[in-house]
Amino acid sequence: MPHVQRLTDAKNSPMPGKSGTSSGVMSYFLFFGAYTLLSVSGLAILKHFLPQFSFSTKVPVRLAAFLALGASLYAASFVTWLLILRTFPLATAYPIAVGLTICGTTILAVLVLGETLGPVQMLGIVSIMAGVILLARKA
């Protein structure tokens, strides 16, 4: 069963994300940083420009370009996610990626889109980031 063996080997193989090495730390920053940046910026662009979109009217070129940019960034984040899945254990990769995306999206929504957070939501973001840090240290 080569497929099962490969999954076992992937779990135990030396990965770029292996802790204790500077290249492992850089791999985490590179992979998860790129994923978060692409995902959050794509979502923010789509959120900002989608209210202007309508199927019933002709779409202005500028609006179509921004929607295409947002969708392309979000699609690129998915490709980056596939690279993360290939490289890091799922039990670590998924919560880190989701946590960073939640925090990044929330922070961008406040800073760029003018949305507001109460103290409880801010505490939630801090708690999520603490969890991400702990998960990254484990890996």
Side-chain angles (χ1 to χ4, degrees), residues 116-128:
T116 59
L117 289 181
V120 173
Q121 290 94 353
M122 286 184 224
L123 179 61
I125 294 299
V126 171
S127 299
I128 292 169

Side-chain angles (χ1 to χ4, degrees), residues 9-10 21 24 28 30 33 38 47 53 55-56 69 84 101 110 114 120 126 132-133:
D9 289 346
T21 65
Y28 263 89
L30 177 67
L38 291 166
K47 173 65 177 167
F53 176 76
F55 284 108
S56 62
L69 174 63
I84 289 170
T101 304
V110 169
V120 173
V126 171
V132 166
I133 291 166

Side-chain angles (χ1 to χ4, degrees), residues 69-128:
L69 174 63
S72 297
L73 289 170
Y74 197 66
S77 78
F78 180 73
V79 172
T80 307
W81 172 242
L82 295 177
L83 294 172
I84 289 170
L85 280 179
R86 187 181 75 177
T87 308
F88 300 98
L90 181 62
T92 304
Y94 187 74
I96 290 173
V98 170
L100 289 173
T101 304
I102 289 170
C103 293
T105 303
T106 304
I107 292 166
L108 193 70
V110 169
L111 296 176
V112 176
L113 300 176
E115 297 180 14
T116 59
L117 289 181
V120 173
Q121 290 94 353
M122 286 184 224
L123 179 61
I125 294 299
V126 171
S127 299
I128 292 169

